[in-house]
Amino acid sequence: MLTSVPLTYLAQAAAAAFFAALFDYVGTAAPERAGFEALSAAVTGLATEAGTPTWPLVTLLPFLARPDQHMLLRPKVTSQAAHRLGLELRFAADPNWTTYSTFLRSS
């Protein structure tokens, strides 16, 4: 049963999975679907107030590590800018490769 496992162990395991996915993702020559989806899944394993991964949680550290390859996606600002520029990002609230890859191609 999950409740019998100490919370600190669960938090450590989630953090280890997150950093492994992060390092794998930013270590590639270019952003790839499998790496993005693994990172998004690892973020899901982290405890957040909302309980779901958010775009900034998934995109901030890759952007800071490799700004030449990755972009920070902030939903409200990004959606407004895309609308003003006439771009269709196929935006979805939950982090997903379709929206992110479209966002990267638009830059």
Side-chain angles (χ1 to χ4, degrees):
M1 184 170 189
L2 192 59
T3 57
S4 65
V5 178
L7 181 59
T8 56
Y9 175 77
L10 294 176
Q12 289 173 353
F18 169 75
F19 283 109
L22 175 66
F23 295 148
D24 286 346
Y25 183 55
V26 298
T28 60
E32 297 175 352
R33 178 184 205 114
F36 181 86
E37 290 175 350
L39 179 59
S40 184
V43 170
T44 301
L46 297 174
T48 64
E49 266 186 48
T52 60
T54 64
W55 280 105
L57 285 175
V58 175
T59 61
L60 177 62
L61 291 179
F63 169 70
L64 291 174
R66 300 276 315 270
D68 60 320
Q69 294 289 326
H70 301 279
M71 294 176 65
L72 172 63
L73 195 153
R74 295 183 57 211
K76 186 174 181 178
V77 173
T78 302
S79 293
Q80 290 172 345
H83 177 73
R84 288 183 183 139
L85 295 171
L87 301 173
E88 176 53 51
L89 292 181
R90 297 184 280 176
F91 186 78
D94 292 330
N96 66 84
W97 178 249
T98 300
T99 300
Y100 191 65
S101 63
T102 303
F103 179 53
L104 290 176
R105 284 193 306 274
S106 71
S107 65

